[in-house]
Amino acid sequence: MSIKKLLTGITAFDHISAGGLPYGRTTLISGSSGCGKTLFGAQFLAMGIQLFNQAGVFVTFEEQVEDIRINLRTLNWDIDGWERDGKWVFVDASQKDDDTMLVGDYDLSGFQVRLEYAITKCNAKRVVLDSIGSVFTEFQEMNTIRHELFKVTLELGRLDTTSIITTERTEEYGKVSRLGVEEFLTDNVIILRNVLSDEKRRRTIEILKFRGSTHEKGENLFTIHPEQAIVIIPLSAMDLKYRSSSVRVTSGIAKLDDMCGGGFYRDSIILVSGSIGAGKTLLVADFINGIKAKQERCLLLAFEESREQLFRNASGWGHDFAKLEDDGFLKVVCIYPEVSSLEDHLLNIQAIVKDFRPDRIAIDSLSALSRTSTDKAFREFIIALTSFLKHQEITGMFTVTTTLLSGGTSDTEGNISPLTDTIILLRYVEMSGEMQRSLSVLKMRGSKHDSSIRGFTINDKGINIGKPFIGVSGILTGIPIRS
C-alpha cells in the first residue's frame, strides 16, 4: 500500500516524486546559497492556492516579509490578494535589529504557539519554514537542536499539514545539511544543487529520501524561469513511445533525396557534420526551402549568424526566406547561445514550437550551443530536445562543426550521434592539388541508402551533387589514396 501524497502543482516534480510530497509529512529541502530553496517553498504554496485552493503559511526566519513579497510579485503571483483573502499567511520570525539579550535556555515554544495560530486561522494545508538553520544559531547543544526540531515537525503533523523546511548546506556534494541533524528528523529529503563546473552553472534537483514512498532516483535538471519559477526537466519522463512515420519529406535537394531512398522520414532527426565552410548552412537552407513542396512550416534557430546574414546568403543560393516568412511558412530566431542556459534554451524552443507549430526545425549550429554547458548537461539537453521533437512529429536538422577541414569528429557529435536517425557528412578532399567537397550519407535508420561518397559543388543555384569518387579510398580519413 502506497503512502498518500499531495500534488505540489510543480508538474515535473510531481512526476519524479511519483505523485507529489507525502501527505501530512515534513520534507527537508537542503541546498547552498542561491540554489532556489525559498523559491521552491513559495511555489509550493502558490501552486496550492492557484490549483487546489489550499491555504498556506510561510514562516521566514531570515528574510524580511516585505522583501519576500517584492520578490514573489515578479512572478505575477497575487501575494497581496491571497493575503487579503486569508489564503496566504506570513509568520515573521526573522531577526530584528534591536538590543534584546537572551538570558537562560532558549526554546521554540513561543514560536510553536504562533505557528499553530496561523495554521488554524487560515486552515492551512501547506506550510513552509524558511530557513530553519538560522534559528539554531541560538542553541549551543546539538541535542537541544534535535529536540526542538522534533517538536516542530511533530506539531506540523498533528495539525494535518504537508510541510517543507529549508536548510543550508556548505558543499554541493558534501554533508546534507550544515548542522548534520536536520535530515535525520524529517521523513523526506530533497537536495537542490547549483554546481559550478568549467565556469558554467548547472542546477539539479535530487530526491534523496522519501521514507516509505517511491520516487525517481538521481539528479534532474531544473532552471528558474522569470515567469514560471522553478521548471524541472525530468529525463526520466522521456519515453520511447513516440510514433515513427513512414512518410518521406524532401531534403530540398532531389539528388540527396535519392541517396536517402526517397527523402528523410518525417519526425526523424538529421545531423549534418562538416567543417567551417563545408556547406552545412546551405544544406539547411535547402531543407528549409523544401517546405514549399507541401506548404509546411519551418522554425530556424540560428546561434552563429544574424538574420540579415542568413537571408542574404539564402538569396545568393536562390532561396527567398523573406517571402517564406511573410507568407507565414518560416520563423527565424537568431540569438547568441551564451545569453541563456541550455535549460532556458530548451524551454524557449518548446514555447516557440507550441506557438508556431512547425513541421520542421533547423538548428544551426549545435556546436555553438555546446559552448554554454558541460558535456553532461549538453547531452541531457539533446536527449530532452530530440524526445520533444519526436513526440511532436517534427523533422529536425541539426548541424555540428568539425575541427578539421578534411574530417574527424566534433566534440558535439559524440553526444548526439546515437540519438539521430540520419547522419550526413560534408568533408573537404584534396585531390590532385585541388580542394574538393564530398558528401556521404553515413547513417539512415530504417531505410536503404546510397553509401557512396560523392563530390559536390556550390553555385548560385545551391548544391550540385555529382558522381561517386571512383578508385579513391581514405577520403573520410583526410588522406585519399588512388587505387
Side-chain angles (χ1 to χ4, degrees):
M1 181 177 179
S2 60
I3 291 177
K4 181 181 178 182
K5 291 187 175 178
L6 180 77
L7 290 171
T8 64
I10 305 171
T11 306
F13 177 80
D14 289 337
H15 170 80
I16 64 174
S17 62
L21 297 178
Y23 183 88
R25 295 188 173 183
T26 302
T27 299
L28 182 73
I29 295 186
S30 180
S32 59
S33 176
C35 68
K37 301 183 297 298
T38 301
L39 182 57
F40 189 98
Q43 192 172 356
F44 170 64
L45 295 192
M47 293 302 101
I49 296 171
Q50 286 186 332
L51 303 179
F52 308 107
N53 194 30
Q54 295 172 345
V57 173
F58 191 103
V59 181
T60 174
F61 293 107
E62 286 186 339
E63 290 186 76
Q64 302 301 308
V65 169
E66 187 54 30
D67 291 339
I68 297 174
R69 286 195 186 102
I70 292 172
N71 294 336
L72 298 185
R73 284 171 190 146
T74 63
L75 294 162
N76 295 320
W77 291 340
D78 187 14
I79 301 296
D80 303 285
W82 294 339
E83 284 193 85
R84 284 195 302 272
D85 296 339
K87 296 180 179 178
W88 181 299
V89 175
F90 278 109
V91 174
D92 188 356
S94 61
Q95 293 186 348
K96 306 301 180 186
D97 185 18
D98 58 28
D99 298 327
T100 301
M101 294 184 62
L102 298 178
V103 178
D105 295 335
Y106 184 90
D107 62 34
L108 296 179
S109 301
F111 164 72
Q112 289 183 47
V113 172
R114 294 178 61 191
L115 180 61
E116 180 176 358
Y117 175 76
I119 292 172
T120 306
K121 180 182 177 183
C122 67
N123 191 28
K125 295 300 179 185
R126 304 181 180 215
V127 176
V128 173
L129 275 61
D130 180 59
S131 146
I132 199 73
S134 59
V135 177
F136 294 131
T137 58
E138 306 292 342
F139 298 93
Q140 301 297 322
E141 298 295 332
M142 196 65 68
N143 288 337
T144 307
I145 295 175
R146 298 183 69 140
H147 179 68
E148 291 300 318
L149 183 56
F150 178 75
K151 288 197 300 183
V152 171
T153 57
L154 199 65
E155 181 71 4
L156 290 171
R158 187 183 68 79
L159 294 170
D160 193 32
T161 63
T162 303
S163 308
I164 286 176
I165 296 178
T166 68
T167 191
E168 303 84 9
R169 62 195 309 228
T170 55
E171 299 175 356
E172 299 294 356
Y173 290 95
K175 292 168 51 179
V176 171
S177 62
R178 183 190 298 272
L179 300 175
V181 298
E182 298 96 311
E183 62 268 30
F184 298 108
L185 294 173
T186 55
D187 300 302
N188 320 300
V189 177
I190 297 171
I191 294 180
L192 302 184
R193 295 189 176 92
N194 188 17
V195 180
L196 179 63
S197 176
D198 296 332
E199 299 181 351
K200 298 159 187 170
R201 287 285 178 185
R202 180 173 180 268
R203 294 180 186 272
T204 65
I205 181 170
E206 178 184 9
I207 299 175
L208 185 66
K209 180 177 78 171
F210 254 26
R211 188 171 289 165
S213 176
T214 59
H215 60 86
E216 299 289 344
K217 308 296 191 300
E219 296 180 71
N220 284 276
L221 292 172
F222 77 91
T223 185
I224 296 178
H225 191 274
E227 295 178 354
Q228 303 175 45
I230 287 179
V231 180
I232 300 170
I233 303 169
L235 293 180
S236 56
M238 315 295 172
D239 56 47
L240 294 173
K241 297 179 180 177
Y242 45 76
R243 297 192 301 177
S244 291
S245 172
S246 58
V247 175
R248 301 274 187 164
V249 299
T250 179
S251 65
I253 305 171
K255 191 65 179 180
L256 182 57
D257 289 346
D258 293 339
M259 293 179 69
C260 294
F264 305 133
Y265 282 125
R266 190 180 68 190
D267 66 32
S268 65
I269 302 297
I270 302 105
L271 180 68
V272 179
S273 166
S275 62
I276 295 174
K280 301 185 300 299
T281 303
L282 173 54
L283 211 61
V284 168
D286 285 322
F287 174 72
I288 294 171
N289 200 53
I291 62 177
K292 294 196 297 187
K294 295 185 178 179
Q295 293 194 330
E296 297 173 317
R297 288 185 168 193
C298 183
L299 169 64
L300 169 60
L301 299 168
F303 295 101
E304 291 182 324
E305 296 183 81
S306 69
R307 174 194 182 84
E308 287 70 21
Q309 192 174 1
L310 288 167
F311 280 40
R312 181 202 62 192
N313 295 342
S315 177
W317 298 320
H319 303 323
D320 192 348
F321 279 7
K323 186 173 189 313
L324 286 175
E325 193 175 48
D326 289 343
D327 292 342
F329 296 122
L330 175 64
K331 185 178 184 65
V332 180
V333 177
C334 300
I335 188 172
Y336 273 115
E338 286 79 5
V339 302
S340 301
S341 67
L342 278 182
E343 295 78 26
D344 291 333
H345 279 302
L346 178 63
L347 294 180
N348 188 41
I349 292 171
Q350 291 177 336
I352 296 173
V353 166
K354 289 177 180 175
D355 178 61
F356 185 61
R357 306 184 70 81
D359 303 285
R360 303 181 178 203
I361 182 171
I363 298 182
D364 187 30
S365 73
L366 282 182
S367 299
L369 269 179
S370 69
R371 297 196 306 256
T372 64
S373 71
T374 62
D375 285 347
K376 179 178 174 59
F378 182 71
R379 180 169 178 76
E380 291 169 342
F381 164 80
I382 290 298
I383 292 172
L385 176 61
T386 54
S387 175
F388 171 73
L389 295 180
K390 282 182 173 294
H391 278 283
Q392 301 295 318
E393 299 185 21
I394 295 173
T395 312
M397 176 175 280
F398 307 155
T399 68
V400 294
T401 304
T402 60
T403 54
L404 301 176
L405 289 177
S406 56
T409 59
S410 69
D411 294 338
T412 314
E413 274 185 72
N415 288 315
I416 187 175
S417 295
L419 304 173
T420 57
D421 302 289
T422 302
I423 298 178
I424 298 173
L425 301 182
L426 304 179
R427 297 288 186 262
Y428 281 106
V429 188
E430 183 182 355
M431 301 286 287
S432 303
E434 180 184 358
M435 292 301 288
Q436 299 182 23
R437 291 183 171 91
S438 73
L439 181 152
S440 60
V441 180
L442 180 66
K443 168 186 171 184
M444 183 78 187
R445 186 173 284 162
S447 172
K448 293 181 179 179
H449 64 278
D450 182 348
S451 58
S452 64
I453 303 173
R454 294 173 176 264
F456 74 92
T457 57
I458 298 175
N459 58 25
D460 59 356
K461 301 295 183 183
I463 288 180
N464 294 301
I465 299 176
K467 297 180 180 178
F469 287 100
I470 303 295
V472 182
S473 60
I475 292 177
L476 295 183
T477 65
I479 309 175
I481 300 173
R482 291 188 179 277
S483 57

